[in-house]
Structure formats: structure tokens, C-alpha cells
Amino acid sequence: MDFHLRPLPYGTDALEPHLSRATLELHHGRHHAGYLAKLEKLLEGRPEADADLESIVLGASGAVFDNAAQVWNHDFLWRSMTPKGGGKPEGALADGLDEAFGSLDGFRRAFVEAGAAQFGSGWVWLVCDDAGRLRVTATADADLPMRHGQVALLTADVWEHAYYLDYRNERERYLDAFLDHLVNWSFGAANWSAARARR
Ligand code: FE2
């Protein structure tokens, strides 16, 4: 796999004032980069080093899994957000959220509640489950939907390093800001469309 840190799809100040430059510099430049560096060290001289990241995630356990999954999760996180994001989804994803959660507000409540209730570190996701339905899930530490037969559509990182500088311990306020101002609905819609096409 390629052990170069994938650049952010926007500048480190592009998500201000909702996520600060300091948060993005630390989160991408130290935490994300740190997982990648640890993974490279763990795989040095091993045949898995030549595999793609998804295969490593699906086949690994222990520290290799933790670091590989965190690289995948963070690459996915950066694309789950966009400058001037938030607002409302359109088209098939809007209809799907209405069907699955009753309304966009119903989805928002489920997403914020699941993220806030995740004890300790983890991730909150919008996924397409193995029956093709939209669901909100939360995973602990580095765990991720592909290990549960689900396809990730969008995610928010609920590790404290994702929000503590900007929101202190107020995880719900961070998740509200994520949905109001940051979430990249176009990315989620494209992922859902691709997930349904593969079924
Ligand atoms: Fe993170």
C-alpha cells in the first residue's frame, strides 16, 4: 500500500469556525499521520505491506488492525466533511433518510444520540446495512462498518482529539455543528448510490 499521508481535500482552515485550523493540523498532521507511520513500521518486511488498505483492514487483528482501520477511518472522515457543508441532502438520499428515520430530524437525532452515547473513543456512522437499509451505528476505538457487513456512507469521529480543542467536553455540540455546517451530503449520496449498485 501507499504509505504517503493522503492530503486533506481542503485547507486546514477551510472548516473554520466549526473546526479550527489547530484541530485539523493536530488531527490530520499528528493523529492520522501517526497511525500511518505506526502501520508502516508494523508491516515492514511483511507481505501485507504490498496489499491494499482495505484488504489489510479486513484481514488483520491487534495493532495492525487498529492502525490500518484508523488510517481508513480518517481518510473517510475528511471526505465526510466539506467547507460550507451541512444543510439538507437531496434526491434519493433525502428520500431514503425520510423512509428509514421518519424525517431528516429523525436521522439527526439518531446520529447525535449514537455519537454521544458511544462510551470512550469511537465513530458514529451512517451506513447501508446488509439488507440495503440506511442505519446509524457507532463503533468503538478503530472498529468500522466493513467488519460488520455494512457499507460506510458518512462518519463523524468521536475520539476526543477530533473536537476537544474546539468544543471541550461538549460532544453533542460538536455533532450538531458537524450536521449543521460540515457534513458532505454529496459524498454520502455517492456512497449510497455505489453501495446499492453493487447489491
Ligand atoms: Fe481522529
Side-chain angles (χ1 to χ4, degrees), residues 86-101:
K88 294 182 177 177
E90 293 175 355
L93 182 58
D95 296 342
L97 290 171
D98 283 347
E99 196 180 317
F101 300 97

PDB file of all heavy atoms in Angstrom, residues 86-101:
ATOM      1  N   GLY A  86     -23.208  20.663   5.460  1.00  0.00           N
ATOM      2  CA  GLY A  86     -24.443  20.717   6.240  1.00  0.00           C
ATOM      3  C   GLY A  86     -25.650  20.944   5.355  1.00  0.00           C
ATOM      4  O   GLY A  86     -25.641  20.568   4.185  1.00  0.00           O
ATOM      5  N   GLY A  87     -26.663  21.567   5.928  1.00  0.00           N
ATOM      6  CA  GLY A  87     -27.897  21.766   5.170  1.00  0.00           C
ATOM      7  C   GLY A  87     -28.645  20.458   5.012  1.00  0.00           C
ATOM      8  O   GLY A  87     -28.630  19.611   5.899  1.00  0.00           O
ATOM      9  N   LYS A  88     -29.263  20.314   3.851  1.00  0.00           N
ATOM     10  CA  LYS A  88     -30.118  19.147   3.636  1.00  0.00           C
ATOM     11  C   LYS A  88     -29.619  18.313   2.469  1.00  0.00           C
ATOM     12  O   LYS A  88     -29.163  18.861   1.474  1.00  0.00           O
ATOM     13  CB  LYS A  88     -31.554  19.607   3.336  1.00  0.00           C
ATOM     14  CG  LYS A  88     -32.200  20.288   4.508  1.00  0.00           C
ATOM     15  CD  LYS A  88     -33.623  20.688   4.213  1.00  0.00           C
ATOM     16  CE  LYS A  88     -34.239  21.293   5.467  1.00  0.00           C
ATOM     17  NZ  LYS A  88     -35.592  21.775   5.263  1.00  0.00           N
ATOM     18  N   PRO A  89     -29.759  16.985   2.578  1.00  0.00           N
ATOM     19  CA  PRO A  89     -29.430  16.142   1.428  1.00  0.00           C
ATOM     20  C   PRO A  89     -30.510  16.295   0.358  1.00  0.00           C
ATOM     21  O   PRO A  89     -31.595  16.816   0.633  1.00  0.00           O
ATOM     22  CB  PRO A  89     -29.440  14.733   2.009  1.00  0.00           C
ATOM     23  CG  PRO A  89     -30.392  14.821   3.166  1.00  0.00           C
ATOM     24  CD  PRO A  89     -30.275  16.211   3.702  1.00  0.00           C
ATOM     25  N   GLU A  90     -30.187  15.827  -0.822  1.00  0.00           N
ATOM     26  CA  GLU A  90     -31.155  15.923  -1.927  1.00  0.00           C
ATOM     27  C   GLU A  90     -31.400  14.542  -2.506  1.00  0.00           C
ATOM     28  O   GLU A  90     -30.647  13.600  -2.255  1.00  0.00           O
ATOM     29  CB  GLU A  90     -30.597  16.834  -3.027  1.00  0.00           C
ATOM     30  CG  GLU A  90     -30.487  18.282  -2.587  1.00  0.00           C
ATOM     31  CD  GLU A  90     -29.823  19.165  -3.645  1.00  0.00           C
ATOM     32  OE1 GLU A  90     -29.369  18.631  -4.672  1.00  0.00           O
ATOM     33  OE2 GLU A  90     -29.765  20.381  -3.402  1.00  0.00           O
ATOM     34  N   GLY A  91     -32.432  14.445  -3.323  1.00  0.00           N
ATOM     35  CA  GLY A  91     -32.658  13.263  -4.145  1.00  0.00           C
ATOM     36  C   GLY A  91     -32.885  11.991  -3.354  1.00  0.00           C
ATOM     37  O   GLY A  91     -33.535  11.979  -2.305  1.00  0.00           O
ATOM     38  N   ALA A  92     -32.301  10.893  -3.884  1.00  0.00           N
ATOM     39  CA  ALA A  92     -32.565   9.562  -3.332  1.00  0.00           C
ATOM     40  C   ALA A  92     -32.134   9.445  -1.875  1.00  0.00           C
ATOM     41  O   ALA A  92     -32.784   8.757  -1.082  1.00  0.00           O
ATOM     42  CB  ALA A  92     -31.845   8.498  -4.173  1.00  0.00           C
ATOM     43  N   LEU A  93     -31.040  10.118  -1.489  1.00  0.00           N
ATOM     44  CA  LEU A  93     -30.603  10.009  -0.096  1.00  0.00           C
ATOM     45  C   LEU A  93     -31.603  10.704   0.825  1.00  0.00           C
ATOM     46  O   LEU A  93     -31.911  10.188   1.911  1.00  0.00           O
ATOM     47  CB  LEU A  93     -29.191  10.592   0.085  1.00  0.00           C
ATOM     48  CG  LEU A  93     -28.623  10.472   1.497  1.00  0.00           C
ATOM     49  CD1 LEU A  93     -28.572   9.012   1.965  1.00  0.00           C
ATOM     50  CD2 LEU A  93     -27.230  11.090   1.587  1.00  0.00           C
ATOM     51  N   ALA A  94     -32.132  11.850   0.412  1.00  0.00           N
ATOM     52  CA  ALA A  94     -33.150  12.534   1.224  1.00  0.00           C
ATOM     53  C   ALA A  94     -34.363  11.624   1.397  1.00  0.00           C
ATOM     54  O   ALA A  94     -34.885  11.466   2.516  1.00  0.00           O
ATOM     55  CB  ALA A  94     -33.549  13.853   0.554  1.00  0.00           C
ATOM     56  N   ASP A  95     -34.794  10.988   0.320  1.00  0.00           N
ATOM     57  CA  ASP A  95     -35.957  10.081   0.398  1.00  0.00           C
ATOM     58  C   ASP A  95     -35.634   8.894   1.301  1.00  0.00           C
ATOM     59  O   ASP A  95     -36.464   8.454   2.096  1.00  0.00           O
ATOM     60  CB  ASP A  95     -36.328   9.565  -1.005  1.00  0.00           C
ATOM     61  CG  ASP A  95     -36.791  10.703  -1.915  1.00  0.00           C
ATOM     62  OD1 ASP A  95     -37.154  11.778  -1.377  1.00  0.00           O
ATOM     63  OD2 ASP A  95     -36.784  10.517  -3.146  1.00  0.00           O
ATOM     64  N   GLY A  96     -34.425   8.348   1.151  1.00  0.00           N
ATOM     65  CA  GLY A  96     -34.029   7.188   1.951  1.00  0.00           C
ATOM     66  C   GLY A  96     -33.986   7.507   3.442  1.00  0.00           C
ATOM     67  O   GLY A  96     -34.391   6.690   4.275  1.00  0.00           O
ATOM     68  N   LEU A  97     -33.493   8.702   3.786  1.00  0.00           N
ATOM     69  CA  LEU A  97     -33.432   9.091   5.202  1.00  0.00           C
ATOM     70  C   LEU A  97     -34.843   9.273   5.759  1.00  0.00           C
ATOM     71  O   LEU A  97     -35.126   8.871   6.897  1.00  0.00           O
ATOM     72  CB  LEU A  97     -32.611  10.375   5.367  1.00  0.00           C
ATOM     73  CG  LEU A  97     -31.107  10.225   5.111  1.00  0.00           C
ATOM     74  CD1 LEU A  97     -30.430  11.591   5.095  1.00  0.00           C
ATOM     75  CD2 LEU A  97     -30.434   9.338   6.159  1.00  0.00           C
ATOM     76  N   ASP A  98     -35.732   9.869   4.949  1.00  0.00           N
ATOM     77  CA  ASP A  98     -37.132  10.011   5.392  1.00  0.00           C
ATOM     78  C   ASP A  98     -37.737   8.641   5.660  1.00  0.00           C
ATOM     79  O   ASP A  98     -38.419   8.437   6.668  1.00  0.00           O
ATOM     80  CB  ASP A  98     -37.964  10.721   4.305  1.00  0.00           C
ATOM     81  CG  ASP A  98     -37.699  12.225   4.286  1.00  0.00           C
ATOM     82  OD1 ASP A  98     -37.090  12.735   5.247  1.00  0.00           O
ATOM     83  OD2 ASP A  98     -38.101  12.875   3.297  1.00  0.00           O
ATOM     84  N   GLU A  99     -37.457   7.711   4.753  1.00  0.00           N
ATOM     85  CA  GLU A  99     -38.044   6.373   4.883  1.00  0.00           C
ATOM     86  C   GLU A  99     -37.487   5.648   6.112  1.00  0.00           C
ATOM     87  O   GLU A  99     -38.220   5.009   6.877  1.00  0.00           O
ATOM     88  CB  GLU A  99     -37.725   5.578   3.619  1.00  0.00           C
ATOM     89  CG  GLU A  99     -38.569   4.336   3.454  1.00  0.00           C
ATOM     90  CD  GLU A  99     -38.193   3.604   2.166  1.00  0.00           C
ATOM     91  OE1 GLU A  99     -38.011   4.287   1.124  1.00  0.00           O
ATOM     92  OE2 GLU A  99     -38.037   2.395   2.231  1.00  0.00           O
ATOM     93  N   ALA A 100     -36.189   5.753   6.320  1.00  0.00           N
ATOM     94  CA  ALA A 100     -35.550   4.997   7.405  1.00  0.00           C
ATOM     95  C   ALA A 100     -35.753   5.632   8.775  1.00  0.00           C
ATOM     96  O   ALA A 100     -35.848   4.915   9.782  1.00  0.00           O
ATOM     97  CB  ALA A 100     -34.050   4.853   7.116  1.00  0.00           C
ATOM     98  N   PHE A 101     -35.786   6.953   8.836  1.00  0.00           N
ATOM     99  CA  PHE A 101     -35.799   7.630  10.140  1.00  0.00           C
ATOM    100  C   PHE A 101     -37.039   8.493  10.349  1.00  0.00           C
ATOM    101  O   PHE A 101     -37.130   9.196  11.347  1.00  0.00           O
ATOM    102  CB  PHE A 101     -34.542   8.502  10.294  1.00  0.00           C
ATOM    103  CG  PHE A 101     -33.264   7.717  10.202  1.00  0.00           C
ATOM    104  CD1 PHE A 101     -32.555   7.643   9.007  1.00  0.00           C
ATOM    105  CD2 PHE A 101     -32.772   7.016  11.308  1.00  0.00           C
ATOM    106  CE1 PHE A 101     -31.380   6.903   8.902  1.00  0.00           C
ATOM    107  CE2 PHE A 101     -31.603   6.276  11.219  1.00  0.00           C
ATOM    108  CZ  PHE A 101     -30.905   6.213  10.022  1.00  0.00           C
TER     109      PHE A 101
END
